Amino acid sequence: MCLVTSVLTAGALQLVFYWRPEWRVWANCIPCPLQEADTVLLRTTDEFQRYMRKKVLCLSLSTLKFPMSKHSEDPLVADCHSVINRAVVKPELKLRCIQVQKIRYVWDHLEKRFQKVGLLEDSNTCYDIHHTFGLGLSTEEQEVRRLVCGPNAIEVEIQPIWKLLVKQVLNPFYVFQAFTLTLWLSQGYIEYSVAIIILTIISIVLSVYDLRQGVAYPIIEALTLPWQQSVKLHKLVEDHNKVQVTIMVKDKGLQELESRLLVPGDILILPGKLSLPCDAVLIDGSCVVNEGMLTGESIPVTKTPLPHAENTMPWKSHSLEDYRKHVLFCGTEVIQVKPSGQGPVRAVVLQTGYNTAKGDLVRSILYPRPLNFKLYSDAFKFMVFLACLGVLGFFYALGIYMYHEVSPRDTTTMALLLLTVTVPPVLPAALTIGIVYAQKRLKKKKIFCISPQRINMCGQINLVCFDKTGTLTEDGLDLWGTVPTADNCFQEVHSFDSGKAVPWGPLCAAMASCHSLILLDGTIQGDPLDLKMFEGTAWEIEDCSVDSSKFGLSDSNTVIKPGPKASQSPVTAIVILLQFPFSSSLQRMSVVAQLVREGHFHVYMKGAPEMVVRFCRSETVPKNFPEVLRNYTVQGFRVIALAQKVLRMRKVSEVEHLTREKAESELTFLGLLIMENRLKKETKPVLRELSAAHIRTVMITGDNLQTAITVAKNSEMIPLGSQVIIVEANEPEESSAASVTWQLVEKQETGPGKDETYINIGNSSLPDGGRGSCYHFAMTGKSYQVIFQHFNSLLPKILLNGTIFARMSPGQKSSLVEEFQKLNYCVGMCGDGANDCGALKMAHAGISLSEQEASVASPFTSKAANIECVPHLIREGRAALVSSFGVFKYLTMYGIIQFVATALLYWQLQLFGNYQYLMQDIAITLMVCLTMSSTDAYPQLAPYRPAGQLLSPPLLLSVFLNSCFTCIVQVCAFLYVKQQPWYCEVYLYSGCFLTNQSNFSTDVSLGGKWTGNATLVPGSVLSFEGTTLWPIATLNCVTIAFIFSKGKPFRKAIYTNYIFSFLLISALGLTIFILFSDFQDIYQGMEFIPTIRSWRASILVVALVHFCVAFFVEDGILQNRQLWLVIKKEFGFYSKSPYRKWQKKLADDATWPPTNKTIYSGESRTIYSGDGFYVNKGYESPEQVPKEKLKLGGQATEQHFWTRL
């Protein structure tokens, strides 16, 4: 039936099925259990509800060239957790699979669902990984896994140009354009049709070129392809598939092969420098890798082997949040290996192909999450409105022509012509070009963009989150001093201003050894903080291969020796035997080291002071530790604590099996390392500018809370005179529920020493005058997590005035950004790209301050490593957004203007001439609207945002009122010209016209051209109505182009856009010239009838009056923000944004904010929506997150979205 219908509709049904794959499935398939389906219809769980149709494939293992057991009890692979054993049907040896966005899923007969393959299951324990895969896979198991999992390749196909062209042409808009062009060509509109064909080809070619270059510009949502084919992406990954690797095969030893043949479970041998072709977990030896591809920071990271634990916990859970320290990620570079002495460095392949970290990154580019931006959805609604207007015109034309008994062929043709008038053909190019202009302007400011569709979203940003170190403050730290301890007391401060190195002692030994620095090609490389700390000791890292043998150590151990400028030391060298790397979530690192000529080993730890003291014996921590720490942190210093302990071990082999838990216990507190972290010179002016523009600024940092508060005050993120309330939350314990304590921070007081200040946390309450917006909440990541889990109803109230979030882990940063988005904030995130990747991707506009020209971690990358890029981006976003609105309004009005004029001419079976349309469409509309968006952004940020949606009262009123003005002027002109004494119906009474021609223009004689009979000819051009309406409609186009190109406060004045101004003036001058000219060639070419000059002057006067009225209404009323604020206040209109509702509610709450109080879980019951929770539908859906889970604040889990057919 579908085939017959497709033939009868000349392929139209297949085109509809191409646009709506779910309709194809519903028309061709019947529902059935999922395990029996041969076609699966998938639907995304976001608000866009996009469908995709997938064929279920059947793989047969019988094609493999070795015998396999067909008994159901015999596993095909040794891994008991593997889904492969549950997916293969025996004795047929077949399995069913589908491929979705480059990932393969197989049907699990036990779980009754499709499961991902191409990775080792997370349920494997440390013991499983070491003993199941430690000796490698057998050849047979490798073959099975290769067939089921597919090749270890990240292949980005560069589709041929013709395919891209076909896909672009099959877009609904271009199909409509093809229909329109066919109709116009059939009516002899050759010039106009050719012009539109050229325009369409240019638009398609530009779109194809941009897709090939990895850039997709949003025309409208329907025009955005679901993937971005990219030459650059292909070049980025093509070398990934050509790596030669060495693996260990069970019972066969080492074997070399291409990386595309790797499978999960293979043992990968790391010989030295290597670009990793897969994700792997290290099981023997250690190595140093450069993870710049993932983080944007080329800082060496040390990886340690997975421990030999024999518990039943999954291996990731065993390592908690720090499991990444064992994982080598695909695409990163191994720059140094350190064998354990038991053979080469080995790793088990975890994930292959698109399941890897690099594959996931490529997939995120190929299949980006659709942007939930009102502009694009509203634009589609406007297109539907114009199409509906065209349909009304279609039936109007049918009625008119049928009434005059015109032939059915001509009637249908003319009706279809009016249908095509309302949708402007230049719309895709006009909306695309605005983004191009903005992107070029950003590039000049050294801001690079890989997601241009987000530029418009930047115009709506009203909250910006900043990382602290390297973003607000200088990236490099300067050493200020050390504060050692002895006998449970802090000693005299050692200042680095003296130029002397740290005196020898346990603190010096900890600073010299507790780091992850490496010696690479004669240069010490590593984390900047580690480098500064190490430089303060004046010790040196040496090539250990020369001296290590005499100590009985491995040549992979790092050896530290005193330098020429180091303090005198009895120790000739320190050998680092074992490292427990730094982790953002753990906020510490530690090493096991041996001081040469000593028979025992030392554990040294450094990290956040609050974290380090937890692992120290209480009697070794000075009693005044909190006060001393606060004394330094309130001055903005970066404070690092150090500790040590002596191990009761005598052999190196015992050290190698030491666990982190045993090493990091019962430590002795050594003291504090004080480092200066100065504000960047650009920070304070930028924060002032954002504050003046009423854009909230928030600090999200991994640093100390008191340091963050001081930096916020010094940078004026917290204005002078504002109060700070520290929110401290504690987990529930056996005897008590979870609690939240609110402590008011008193003003800074002068402390001992020069210019030192410290913060008192007293029992004072917030003054009555301080209630409102002049208080700021500050909290740590630990408190945030407790509130998120146990006080979820309090969270939005805290976020409204939360300004400082310290000690935040990367996951907490992402979560916080998402919570702000749920309150309907448009969030920008600015960070250095290291620990902020998740938050940068989560934000509406993530800006990475990286030296790389285009960071994969965020949509925007600034080459200038300061926050000046933030106001630049917001300014350009606002200008681009206003330009998009202006262009769209212009094109909407352009369609309506032409529609009204054409509909009036249809009343007497006439229409505009070919060159009349051409003049309006090409010489005016195309050239003007393509340059309208090139106006630069206004240099100063306005204290309010532009409208964020097309369907807003000012914009709708603008279109409606201008449409009314257009209708009134054109209808009056149409009727009034008929009342003139010299008027005659030219197409009916050409003799009358010729008799009276001499009254109109004595210089023009067109009688030979305009003789004709008195029959009714559909589609006639020559008429006084057409000659009158064309200049009015054309001048109307010029008018709306001017009034919709408003400059201040978001764009510069219109006259600064020289090309646009020139084209606008040229269009105006050309129209007036044609109106008043008496040249025969012009009248013949434009198909006009000469009229008396007084009538032409009256047309110009009417156009001028129309301009004045439209300009006054647009600029004096519709764009008058103060007037709209008064109207909203008088009629009680308030924003529906959740954060606005909360602000209004809390402003009337006399008990908020609480100060010096403690609240326990169960006491806070704030219902802030009908169901007791709020959901940002752009990121979650009721199907995805259960209500109970939302109420508990649990994290959303990955859900499958199968619709069974």
Side-chain angles (χ1 to χ4, degrees), residues 501-517:
V502 178
W504 172 252
L507 185 63
C508 179
M511 290 173 61
S513 59
C514 192
H515 52 73
S516 57
L517 302 175

Side-chain angles (χ1 to χ4, degrees), residues 904-905 907-910 973-989 991-994 996-997 999-1000 1022-1028 1089-1092 1095:
L904 287 172
L905 292 179
W907 184 258
Q908 52 194 34
L909 309 187
Q910 292 178 307
F974 180 78
L975 296 176
Y976 190 56
V977 72
K978 294 176 180 290
Q979 309 302 319
Q980 301 307 306
W982 38 260
Y983 171 81
C984 71
E985 295 180 339
V986 176
Y987 63 93
L988 287 177
Y989 308 105
C992 172
F993 161 71
L994 294 174
N996 293 283
Q997 180 199 342
N999 296 328
F1000 306 148
L1022 291 174
S1023 68
F1024 286 106
E1025 291 86 350
T1027 302
T1028 300
I1089 301 175
T1091 58
I1092 59 176
W1095 179 250

Side-chain angles (χ1 to χ4, degrees), residues 4 81 132 150-151 166 196 236 280 414 434 443 505 520 620 677 723 789 943 1104 1108 1158 1202:
V4 172
H81 302 279
T132 305
V166 168
I196 297 303
L236 176 69
M414 300 309 289
K443 196 170 184 179
L520 187 64
T620 67
N677 198 196
Q723 297 285 349
Q789 293 176 353
L1104 180 61
C1108 294
T1158 300
W1202 314 118

Side-chain angles (χ1 to χ4, degrees), residues 757-1023:
T757 58
Y758 61 92
I759 294 176
N760 283 338
I761 301 178
N763 295 320
S764 59
S765 61
L766 196 68
D768 292 338
R771 298 191 184 275
S773 60
C774 63
Y775 62 89
H776 300 261
F777 292 126
M779 68 174 69
T780 62
K782 170 181 167 290
S783 297
Y784 170 79
Q785 198 65 34
V786 173
I787 292 171
F788 185 88
Q789 293 176 353
H790 301 282
F791 298 89
N792 200 256
S793 60
L794 276 177
L795 190 57
K797 301 167 79 173
I798 294 172
L799 294 185
L800 281 183
N801 286 81
T803 301
I804 300 166
F805 298 87
R807 296 298 187 208
M808 297 285 282
S809 68
Q812 289 169 342
K813 289 184 179 182
S814 302
S815 172
L816 179 62
V817 168
E818 188 173 7
E819 293 303 313
F820 276 126
Q821 290 172 331
K822 289 177 182 178
L823 289 175
N824 207 31
Y825 281 107
C826 189
V827 183
M829 172 71 196
C830 184
D832 58 10
N835 298 319
D836 309 307
C837 294
L840 289 170
K841 289 183 178 181
M842 179 63 67
H844 293 108
I847 314 164
S848 174
L849 304 183
S850 170
E851 293 182 0
Q852 299 181 10
E853 183 170 309
S855 171
V856 295
S858 64
F860 300 94
T861 301
S862 173
K863 209 169 183 181
N866 60 67
I867 63 172
E868 283 185 330
C869 58
V870 175
H872 286 325
L873 188 59
I874 295 175
R875 278 194 290 269
E876 292 296 344
R878 289 181 173 185
L881 185 59
V882 170
S883 296
S884 297
F885 278 27
V887 168
F888 210 93
K889 281 172 32 175
Y890 173 78
L891 291 175
T892 301
M893 281 305 306
Y894 160 68
I896 292 173
I897 289 168
Q898 276 202 344
F899 176 79
V900 172
T902 306
L904 287 172
L905 292 179
Y906 267 39
W907 184 258
Q908 52 194 34
L909 309 187
Q910 292 178 307
L911 73 165
F912 286 125
N914 198 2
Y915 286 99
Q916 294 172 20
Y917 277 124
L918 199 64
M919 175 73 178
Q920 287 183 345
D921 291 330
I922 304 300
I924 297 179
T925 301
L926 175 61
M927 302 308 298
V928 167
C929 73
L930 289 186
T931 56
M932 185 186 291
S933 303
S934 63
T935 307
D936 289 343
Y938 195 72
Q940 184 178 351
L941 281 175
Y944 54 91
R945 300 179 294 168
Q949 53 187 11
L950 283 168
L951 301 181
S952 59
L955 190 141
L956 292 176
L957 273 176
S958 176
V959 173
F960 174 74
L961 291 177
N962 278 288
S963 299
C964 291
F965 298 154
T966 295
C967 290
I968 292 171
V969 171
Q970 292 195 21
V971 170
C972 289
F974 180 78
L975 296 176
Y976 190 56
V977 72
K978 294 176 180 290
Q979 309 302 319
Q980 301 307 306
W982 38 260
Y983 171 81
C984 71
E985 295 180 339
V986 176
Y987 63 93
L988 287 177
Y989 308 105
S990 57
C992 172
F993 161 71
L994 294 174
T995 302
N996 293 283
Q997 180 199 342
S998 58
N999 296 328
F1000 306 148
S1001 177
T1002 57
D1003 298 327
V1004 180
S1005 178
L1006 304 176
K1009 173 74 176 175
W1010 288 340
T1011 56
N1013 53 37
T1015 58
L1016 190 65
V1017 182
S1020 299
V1021 173
L1022 291 174
S1023 68

Side-chain angles (χ1 to χ4, degrees), residues 350-638:
L350 274 180
Q351 299 173 128
T352 58
Y354 277 96
N355 293 292
T356 62
K358 186 173 182 177
D360 187 57
L361 181 64
V362 174
R363 286 178 67 244
S364 69
I365 298 172
L366 290 173
Y367 309 102
R369 184 180 68 183
L371 292 176
N372 179 29
F373 193 40
K374 292 291 290 181
L375 171 64
Y376 306 131
S377 59
D378 289 351
F380 180 75
K381 293 174 184 177
F382 258 87
M383 295 288 289
V384 172
F385 163 73
L386 293 176
C388 292
L389 190 63
V391 171
L392 289 177
F394 174 82
F395 289 108
Y396 162 79
L398 279 180
I400 293 294
Y401 279 80
M402 290 174 67
Y403 174 78
H404 287 284
E405 298 181 353
V406 179
S407 67
R409 180 179 180 277
D410 290 336
T411 298
T412 304
T413 301
M414 300 309 289
L416 289 175
L417 280 175
L418 191 57
L419 172 66
T420 62
V421 166
T422 56
V423 181
V426 75
L427 181 64
L431 290 183
T432 301
I433 201 72
I435 302 295
V436 174
Y437 287 139
Q439 194 172 5
K440 286 184 177 179
R441 290 195 295 265
L442 287 173
K443 196 170 184 179
K444 289 180 181 178
K445 295 180 175 70
K446 298 183 178 180
I447 301 172
F448 300 91
C449 176
I450 61 172
S451 182
Q453 57 265 47
R454 291 182 182 264
I455 293 177
N456 277 336
M457 297 189 73
C458 295
Q460 284 293 291
I461 288 176
N462 58 354
L463 185 148
V464 183
C465 301
F466 292 98
D467 182 33
K468 183 181 76 69
T469 307
T471 303
L472 298 175
T473 60
E474 295 289 350
D475 196 14
L477 297 169
D478 295 322
L479 294 173
W480 185 85
T482 58
V483 189
T485 59
D487 301 326
N488 197 24
C489 295
F490 284 110
Q491 303 299 303
E492 183 180 352
V493 175
H494 169 79
S495 175
F496 286 100
D497 290 339
S498 62
K500 294 181 181 180
V502 178
W504 172 252
L507 185 63
C508 179
M511 290 173 61
S513 59
C514 192
H515 52 73
S516 57
L517 302 175
I518 63 169
L519 189 66
L520 187 64
D521 299 327
T523 305
I524 299 176
Q525 295 186 11
D527 186 89
L529 187 147
D530 285 352
L531 276 170
K532 277 291 180 184
M533 179 184 72
F534 187 68
E535 288 172 4
T537 64
W539 282 50
E540 298 174 346
I541 299 178
E542 293 200 1
D543 188 352
C544 57
S545 58
V546 178
D547 300 323
S548 59
S549 56
K550 63 183 179 183
F551 303 123
L553 304 171
S554 167
D555 61 3
S556 64
N557 298 121
T558 304
V559 177
I560 315 293
K561 290 187 176 182
K565 297 182 180 180
S567 301
Q568 189 173 1
S569 165
V571 177
T572 58
I574 300 176
V575 182
I576 301 175
L577 304 173
L578 185 62
Q579 280 188 11
F580 299 106
F582 175 80
S583 165
S584 299
S585 56
L586 299 178
Q587 299 177 350
R588 67 183 186 275
M589 79 162 291
S590 54
V591 297
V592 179
Q594 182 178 22
L595 278 58
V596 175
R597 295 181 182 173
E598 286 190 6
H600 48 263
F601 306 102
H602 294 259
V603 174
Y604 294 108
M605 176 191 283
K606 82 168 192 302
E610 305 93 332
M611 182 63 68
V612 170
V613 294
R614 296 184 190 178
F615 298 92
C616 295
R617 291 180 287 118
S618 57
E619 63 270 18
T620 67
V621 180
K623 294 181 180 178
N624 62 338
F625 168 78
E627 292 78 11
V628 172
L629 175 62
R630 188 179 301 118
N631 182 39
Y632 289 109
T633 55
V634 296
Q635 300 175 67
F637 287 121
R638 180 78 177 268

Side-chain angles (χ1 to χ4, degrees), residues 731-738:
E731 291 274 7
E733 298 177 356
E734 293 182 1
S735 57
S736 62

Side-chain angles (χ1 to χ4, degrees), residues 203-426:
S203 179
I204 292 174
V205 169
L206 281 175
S207 298
V208 170
Y209 175 77
D210 292 331
L211 288 169
R212 293 269 303 210
Q213 297 302 313
V215 178
Y217 297 112
I219 297 170
I220 53 175
E221 183 184 358
L223 291 179
T224 304
L225 293 176
W227 58 84
Q228 302 169 342
Q229 303 302 337
S230 166
V231 172
K232 292 179 181 178
L233 204 55
H234 176 79
K235 291 179 180 177
L236 176 69
V237 300
E238 64 178 345
D239 293 337
H240 163 89
N241 307 320
K242 301 176 182 177
V243 180
Q244 286 292 124
V245 296
T246 302
I247 64 169
M248 181 182 292
V249 182
K250 195 171 186 179
D251 301 328
K252 292 187 178 181
L254 302 183
Q255 177 183 339
E256 282 195 8
L257 44 69
E258 282 190 7
S259 59
R260 64 184 298 110
L261 298 177
L262 287 174
V263 295
D266 270 333
I267 290 291
L268 184 64
I269 305 298
L270 304 179
K273 291 185 178 181
L274 175 70
S275 177
L276 287 162
C278 60
D279 287 354
V281 57
L282 205 60
I283 62 170
D284 190 21
S286 61
C287 63
V288 179
V289 299
N290 179 0
E291 293 188 343
M293 191 279 296
L294 297 178
T295 65
E297 296 289 328
S298 299
I299 295 174
V301 179
T302 300
K303 300 291 183 176
T304 57
L306 189 71
H308 288 261
E310 296 190 3
N311 55 37
T312 57
M313 294 174 60
W315 70 274
K316 285 186 178 180
S317 301
H318 177 269
S319 299
L320 301 177
E321 295 182 16
D322 206 29
Y323 75 91
R324 295 170 62 94
K325 68 183 180 181
H326 309 304
V327 179
L328 310 173
F329 294 102
C330 178
T332 59
E333 300 282 337
V334 176
I335 55 179
Q336 193 177 79
V337 296
K338 299 179 180 179
S340 62
Q342 301 176 1
V345 178
R346 296 179 297 141
V348 175
V349 175
L350 274 180
Q351 299 173 128
T352 58
Y354 277 96
N355 293 292
T356 62
K358 186 173 182 177
D360 187 57
L361 181 64
V362 174
R363 286 178 67 244
S364 69
I365 298 172
L366 290 173
Y367 309 102
R369 184 180 68 183
L371 292 176
N372 179 29
F373 193 40
K374 292 291 290 181
L375 171 64
Y376 306 131
S377 59
D378 289 351
F380 180 75
K381 293 174 184 177
F382 258 87
M383 295 288 289
V384 172
F385 163 73
L386 293 176
C388 292
L389 190 63
V391 171
L392 289 177
F394 174 82
F395 289 108
Y396 162 79
L398 279 180
I400 293 294
Y401 279 80
M402 290 174 67
Y403 174 78
H404 287 284
E405 298 181 353
V406 179
S407 67
R409 180 179 180 277
D410 290 336
T411 298
T412 304
T413 301
M414 300 309 289
L416 289 175
L417 280 175
L418 191 57
L419 172 66
T420 62
V421 166
T422 56
V423 181
V426 75

